[in-house]
Amino acid sequence: MRSLYSEQPTWLHPVPAGAKLAGLSACGTLLVLIERPAPLGVACGLALLAFASLGRPAWRRARMLRGMAVAAVLITGFHWLLGSPALGAASALRLASAGLLALMLTLTTRFDDLLAVLETCLRPLQRLGLPTERIALGLGLTLRFAEDFYVQWRRLDDAYRARSGHGGGLRLLAPLTIRTLQTAERVADALAARLGR
């Protein structure tokens, strides 16, 4: 499975995965608690500056910001039509800020490190008889499949754009679905072989 993780070191790479996840959780909670667009705009600006501070690894993924911008515009427009533009602006800024922070985490944290943190956080649930290793693995795979889905779509869109001069749009849905299912089958086979089933 492909990953958005960047091997090029940045100032955020040495920070432990647990600290980054805790920071993301704290920032996400604060974003939910803030309701006014003005402070959310400041938070979004700070998140954008933090993202830019990662340097080349961040700017190589700058195209992902277009997707966030489109989603923000759609959310704002929808709420404007409903007569609540302030709520739309707040929701869009909240989404953009959280997306930037999550992208920073993805770019600078290895999958194995995230999985180790999830296993540690879930370990107390072992006393209840829950299979915490499998739960952590499921959560980790969900994160990786979300990454892989985007990477696959971007590669297909780039290939289509190189041939036709414009994006593939909905034409990419069928090949993207096929590739995603093939990846899921390979991962399932690998897990079955590793678990001895």
Side-chain angles (χ1 to χ4, degrees):
M1 293 176 68
R2 298 176 181 88
S3 174
L4 295 176
Y5 175 77
S6 173
E7 295 288 348
Q8 183 176 349
T10 67
W11 63 267
L12 193 56
H13 276 75
V15 178
K20 284 187 271 193
L21 278 171
L24 179 63
S25 300
C27 290
T29 302
L30 287 174
L31 288 171
V32 170
L33 295 176
I34 299 173
E35 297 181 359
R36 291 182 296 153
L40 284 170
V42 173
C44 188
L46 292 174
L48 188 59
L49 287 174
F51 178 78
S53 71
L54 296 179
R56 290 184 66 189
W59 293 117
R60 286 177 185 156
R61 306 296 183 191
R63 286 191 297 182
M64 296 183 71
L65 302 184
R66 280 188 287 178
M68 290 185 203
V70 169
V73 169
L74 291 174
I75 290 171
T76 304
F78 177 75
H79 281 87
W80 181 76
L81 289 174
L82 293 177
S84 54
L87 178 60
S91 300
L93 290 167
R94 193 177 290 122
L95 172 70
S97 302
L100 285 165
L101 295 174
L103 184 55
M104 290 175 64
L105 173 73
T106 304
L107 286 172
T108 61
T109 312
R110 294 181 185 277
F111 173 70
D112 293 341
D113 297 335
L114 286 174
L115 191 59
V117 173
L118 290 173
E119 288 176 351
T120 301
C121 292
L122 292 171
R123 194 166 293 144
L125 297 178
Q126 287 179 342
R127 296 175 183 172
L128 301 176
L130 295 175
T132 55
E133 294 86 0
R134 295 190 177 202
I135 295 173
L137 181 60
L139 291 171
L141 284 174
T142 300
L143 294 173
R144 281 303 298 274
F145 267 105
E147 274 188 77
D148 187 68
F149 186 84
Y150 175 80
V151 173
Q152 295 270 20
W153 172 74
R154 178 53 63 188
R155 286 172 65 100
L156 286 169
D157 190 62
D158 288 343
Y160 190 91
R161 193 178 299 274
R163 289 193 309 269
S164 64
H166 55 83
L170 293 177
R171 296 180 189 89
L172 302 179
L173 190 57
L176 180 60
T177 302
I178 292 170
R179 287 197 179 192
T180 302
L181 291 174
Q182 288 173 339
T183 302
E185 186 176 5
R186 286 196 300 271
V187 171
D189 290 342
L191 284 173
R194 187 164 186 174
L195 295 173
R197 294 187 178 183

